[in-house]
Amino acid sequence: MDISPETPWDATPDLSARIVTAIARLASVLRAGMWAASTAEQLNPAQADIVQLLHRRARGMRLSWLAQQLSISTPSASDSVAALVAKGYVRKTRAADDGRATALLLTPEGERLAERLEGALGFADDAVSALPHALQVALLTGLFKTIAELQKTERFPELRACLSCRHFEPNKFPGAAAPHHCALVGAPLPIAFLRIDCAEHEPADATAAQRNWQTFA
C-alpha cells in the first residue's frame, strides 16, 4: 500500500511550528553563549540572569519581581541574590515606594559585570545588525505581536516595555512613519524605537496596558 505523501511538502510542519522551532534554536544558542560568559565570571545561570535584570535599574527591584521574571521560586531567587550580595555585585536598600520593603540594586562592580555579560551576546547583535533595516523593523514588530499573543495566556512575565508604560500613546499619528508617541520625552515614537526594557518605564494601569498590547495583537 502506497503511503507516500501526495506532494513533496505534505510532511512539512505548519509555518507556525517552524517559527517556534527557529525561536527555540536561537534561544538555545543565546543561552549557551550566556552560560559560557557566566561560567567565566564564576556565576550560575540564575545569578547571571539576575545581574542582567537589575542592569540600569536605578530604583532597584523587589525579590518577588525577579522570581517572577525568571519563573523560579522566591526562595531560589533569594539564594541567588544572597550569593551575588556576598560577591559584592548586589546591594539591598529600602524600596522607594515602601520603606518597609527591600529593593535590590547592582553595585558599581555589578554594573560593570552586567556590561561584560551584555557583551557576551555581541555575536547575535552582529547577526541581527547585518539584516536590512526594514527587515529588522519587521522582525521587531513580529516579536511584539508574538509577545502580545502570549500575554493573553498569562505565560509571559511582566515587561518594562513601551507598550505597558503610562507614557506610551498608541496610534497618536495614524498612518505616519512614527505612529506612536512617548509623553515622557514629548516626541513621536517610531516602531523601530520601541523598547522591550526601558529604565524610565512607569507602569500603565492594567486596562491601558492590555489595550496597548492589543494594538500589536
Side-chain angles (χ1 to χ4, degrees), residues 167 169 172-173 178 180-190:
H167 299 297
E169 298 177 334
K172 188 170 184 178
F173 311 106
H180 310 303
H181 185 263
C182 176
L184 179 65
V185 298
L189 183 59

Side-chain angles (χ1 to χ4, degrees), residues 45-46 48-55 57 61-74 77 147 151 154-161 164 196-198 201 203 213:
D49 286 342
I50 288 172
V51 169
Q52 290 178 290
L53 286 169
L54 294 179
H55 191 30
R57 297 187 189 277
M61 302 306 298
R62 305 283 185 87
L63 179 65
S64 57
W65 181 84
L66 290 173
Q68 179 189 42
Q69 292 292 307
L70 298 177
S71 299
I72 61 177
S73 68
T74 301
I147 291 171
Q151 287 190 331
E154 299 183 354
R155 286 181 175 269
F156 209 92
E158 176 188 351
L159 292 173
R160 293 165 64 90
S164 59
I196 293 287
D197 189 90
C198 179
H201 181 277
W213 278 105

Side-chain angles (χ1 to χ4, degrees), residues 5-151:
E6 293 183 7
T7 75
W9 318 118
D10 284 354
T12 303
D14 290 343
L15 179 59
S16 59
R18 282 176 281 143
I19 290 172
V20 170
T21 298
I23 292 173
R25 295 291 177 86
L26 286 170
S28 295
V29 171
L30 297 178
R31 186 164 54 247
M34 186 53 62
W35 283 1
S38 60
T39 299
E41 297 286 353
Q42 298 184 324
L43 303 175
N44 66 35
Q47 292 166 2
D49 286 342
I50 288 172
V51 169
Q52 290 178 290
L53 286 169
L54 294 179
H55 191 30
R56 300 192 184 98
R57 297 187 189 277
R59 287 176 287 186
M61 302 306 298
R62 305 283 185 87
L63 179 65
S64 57
W65 181 84
L66 290 173
Q68 179 189 42
Q69 292 292 307
L70 298 177
S71 299
I72 61 177
S73 68
T74 301
S76 293
S78 180
D79 289 344
S80 293
V81 167
L84 291 168
V85 170
K87 293 173 184 286
Y89 296 134
V90 171
R91 67 182 178 89
K92 298 180 180 181
T93 187
R94 295 293 182 186
D97 59 342
D98 184 350
R100 299 167 298 176
T102 298
L104 303 168
L105 293 161
L106 290 183
T107 63
E109 182 57 35
E111 290 289 352
R112 288 190 285 272
L113 170 63
E115 290 171 3
R116 293 197 298 274
L117 291 174
E118 197 173 65
L121 298 183
F123 68 93
D125 189 271
D126 291 343
V128 176
S129 296
L131 301 175
H133 178 73
L135 183 54
Q136 291 184 50
V137 173
L139 183 57
L140 180 64
T141 301
L143 290 172
F144 267 112
K145 287 180 177 289
T146 302
I147 291 171
E149 290 295 335
L150 285 171
Q151 287 190 331

